[in-house]
Amino acid sequence: LLTLIYLPVLTKENSGGMILSAISKRSRVWMYTSLVIFMVTGIYLMIVDPNYLGIGNFGNLWGILMLVKHILVVGMIVMGFWFNAILRVGPLMSSNTGADQAIVRFGLYSKWMAISGVLVLLLTALAQIE
């Protein structure tokens, strides 16, 4: 929704950067909470799956798909850290200087996260077919 609907509209608004910054700030708690829930449920589902062969054992297609999926999820976490902690895109969007550049960076970030999220879902679906 952010990438497809909100971002295109808010980038055209005068106060769009401040709004996007507020959305980014308010969503952090939800993102961190969902990440913890995602990890806990993911570990449980992985352990109970009959295709799970053990830590570091990628002897079947399911194990390889899960490895790629986990690498992608770690990449998403690193990307989130890079854009939020290093580039400080959220606070920069509400500043008087650099807001336009920050909005472009935020757009790039949200597109890459949306693509990565879809890939994670596809890998999960492929693993369930296996």
Side-chain angles (χ1 to χ4, degrees), residues 24-44:
S24 175
K25 190 176 188 177
R26 287 184 151 202
S27 68
R28 282 192 197 120
V29 171
W30 292 102
M31 284 190 320
Y32 297 139
T33 302
S34 64
L35 186 60
V36 169
I37 292 169
F38 181 66
M39 283 179 16
V40 170
T41 58
I43 290 169
Y44 170 75

Side-chain angles (χ1 to χ4, degrees), residues 57-117:
N57 188 347
F58 307 108
N60 58 11
L61 179 62
W62 184 89
I64 294 169
L65 291 172
M66 288 298 107
L67 174 65
V68 173
K69 175 183 164 182
H70 287 107
I71 290 171
L72 187 58
V73 168
V74 169
M76 290 172 72
I77 293 168
V78 168
M79 188 174 18
F81 179 77
W82 177 260
F83 275 89
N84 291 313
I86 307 281
L87 296 179
R88 307 276 302 151
V89 171
L92 192 59
M93 282 190 293
S94 61
S95 71
N96 292 332
T97 58
D100 291 337
Q101 181 185 14
I103 290 172
V104 170
R105 285 182 182 170
F106 188 74
L108 178 66
Y109 165 71
S110 67
K111 286 174 187 160
W112 277 109
M113 289 302 259
I115 291 167
S116 299

